[in-house]
Amino acid sequence: MDPETAHDMLEISPGSWDLPDYAMLGNTSNGWAFAIESPAARDRADRLAPGRDMWSEHTVVNIWDSTMDPPIINVNVAGKHDWMFWEYSTDHTDHSLTRRLVAEAGLVLPSDDIDGDEEFDEVAMADVYRIMGEHYGLTLPRQAITARRLPHVFTEPRVFVRSQTRCPVCGEQMVPYGGGSWGPSEYRLVCVYYKLRDIPGHPPQGCPGEISGPALAEVVHEEPNPKYGNIRMPRRTTSAPESTPEGLAESTT
């Protein structure tokens, strides 16, 4: 949706709990794409879960700010976990990014010879973001974000798709996978460890288990997302009828 339509929709809604989770989307001049969601959005780890090609070919930075604790930062590079920051600390003590935080931002790392109850001055998150951004080459367009000019898209699915089968290779859970043109009742399912590297008991490049085709109709369960029943788009002009949930889906595809 364009920003104006999204803002009108949010204003006429009784509350965010009546709407599907949504995100503001954007890209930068240095090759990054990003999405900003509300901290109240439900956990959708499957969007960045094993089975997503994004893991294997890109650098993925996930910052989860619950508004209650320091944000948890996870970084994956080319399909491998590269760095994590939580509770104002990190276990990646030998990482070059950690060394910069210690030298430039005063980050104090726990050690065996320090009392675990001793409190340290917390490193400023502004310094963490600045140094992390420099390390990974990530900068966001502050003006576009603060001015609320970014397009909006719903991130909750209109229809929940749940796999009811197990991986034919390792027996683990399978998840629906996009990235193709599939006909009605036709899906591709991949193992939850698909293309996830360095998992004990699996090949170096992750479990290869996947199945696809019309036969999956019997092992996939679909159920409508009831939240979409609450969506009523605001009228933009006198000649435009109020959109239905189906119309909304068409406008946001």
Side-chain angles (χ1 to χ4, degrees):
M1 291 172 288
D2 63 90
E4 292 76 14
T5 300
H7 299 158
D8 287 348
M9 180 193 67
L10 294 173
E11 289 178 1
I12 67 175
S13 174
S16 59
W17 53 86
D18 295 315
L19 300 174
D21 297 336
Y22 63 92
M24 295 181 290
L25 306 178
N27 54 49
T28 70
S29 60
N30 58 347
W32 281 90
F34 62 91
I36 300 175
E37 284 187 299
S38 165
R42 72 186 182 96
D43 183 17
R44 283 292 309 281
D46 59 302
R47 288 201 300 266
L48 295 176
R52 307 306 186 208
D53 282 333
M54 184 162 56
W55 277 113
S56 59
E57 299 181 2
H58 301 286
T59 297
V60 179
V61 177
N62 184 24
I63 302 175
W64 182 52
D65 185 357
S66 68
T67 72
M68 297 179 62
D69 298 310
I72 298 175
I73 303 173
N74 272 294
V75 183
N76 285 264
V77 178
K80 296 186 65 175
H81 184 59
D82 189 66
W83 190 73
M84 181 177 181
F85 187 87
W86 65 295
E87 293 187 357
Y88 295 110
S89 188
T90 178
D91 293 333
H92 298 272
T93 55
D94 293 330
H95 197 286
S96 57
L97 173 54
T98 303
R99 293 196 294 268
R100 282 196 60 184
L101 288 171
V102 171
E104 302 175 31
L107 174 66
V108 177
L109 298 173
S111 61
D112 295 336
D113 57 348
I114 296 179
D115 186 352
D117 294 331
E118 184 175 347
E119 294 184 358
F120 303 105
D121 292 333
E122 295 171 347
V123 62
M125 289 306 301
D127 289 333
V128 174
Y129 292 138
R130 174 180 57 83
I131 296 174
M132 181 187 70
E134 293 174 358
H135 180 84
Y136 292 108
L138 169 60
T139 58
L140 298 181
R142 176 181 294 273
Q143 185 175 3
I145 295 172
T146 57
R148 303 180 70 197
R149 296 202 304 261
L150 299 174
H152 289 57
V153 64
F154 288 124
T155 59
E156 280 195 3
R158 292 186 66 246
V159 176
F160 293 118
V161 180
R162 309 188 191 281
S163 170
Q164 296 176 308
T165 189
R166 291 286 175 174
C167 174
V169 176
C170 70
E172 293 291 341
Q173 180 184 357
M174 303 195 80
V175 294
Y177 185 93
S181 177
W182 308 104
S185 301
E186 188 172 356
Y187 297 95
R188 179 186 178 193
L189 303 180
V190 298
C191 177
V192 291
Y193 294 123
Y194 183 75
K195 289 189 177 181
L196 186 65
R197 302 179 181 180
D198 300 328
I199 295 295
H202 290 81
Q205 300 300 319
C207 181
E210 64 173 279
I211 52 177
S212 61
L216 293 183
E218 297 181 0
V219 297
V220 171
H221 172 65
E222 292 185 351
E223 57 185 75
N225 183 348
K227 270 197 173 184
Y228 272 85
N230 297 316
I231 302 300
R232 294 294 181 270
M233 293 289 284
R235 297 177 184 271
R236 301 301 299 162
T237 65
T238 56
S239 59
E242 185 176 9
S243 298
T244 63
E246 289 74 19
L248 173 63
E250 294 173 357
S251 68
T252 60
T253 300

